[in-house]
Amino acid sequence: MWYVIEGYDGQDGLAGRGQARSAHLERLVALRDAGRLLVAGPCPAIDAEDPGPAGFSGSVVIARFDSLEQARAWADADPYVAAGVYERVQVRPFRHVLP
């Protein structure tokens, strides 16, 4: 089943993103290469493609896992969690309809 994982950045999220980005992306590439990633990306804190120092309000990942528990475990192990980028993470089932 698909799950949407939403990470919400804390106050110093931008600094932590820089430190943990490569490890975070490695995990996403592994999901993509396994055919389990629908979409992933950050949410700019302002209405701009490149928010600069405004940073990001969070990130969204939609990926396939065997269970909600597995999706939560994957999300909890994200390098952005360990680096303190996300102040909270929400994981919910997602029903892919379009496209």
Side-chain angles (χ1 to χ4, degrees), residues 24-87:
H24 171 76
L25 290 177
E26 283 179 27
R27 298 177 80 232
L28 293 171
V29 167
L31 283 178
R32 180 201 64 197
D33 291 351
R36 296 173 44 205
L37 183 65
L38 183 63
V39 66
C43 301
I46 61 173
D47 189 13
E49 184 75 23
D50 179 358
F56 300 91
S57 61
S59 300
V60 174
V61 174
I62 300 177
R64 187 182 303 275
F65 294 91
D66 290 335
S67 68
L68 180 58
E69 293 76 21
Q70 286 184 5
R72 285 183 176 146
W74 186 92
D76 289 344
D78 194 295
Y80 279 1
V81 171
V85 172
Y86 297 149
E87 66 181 6

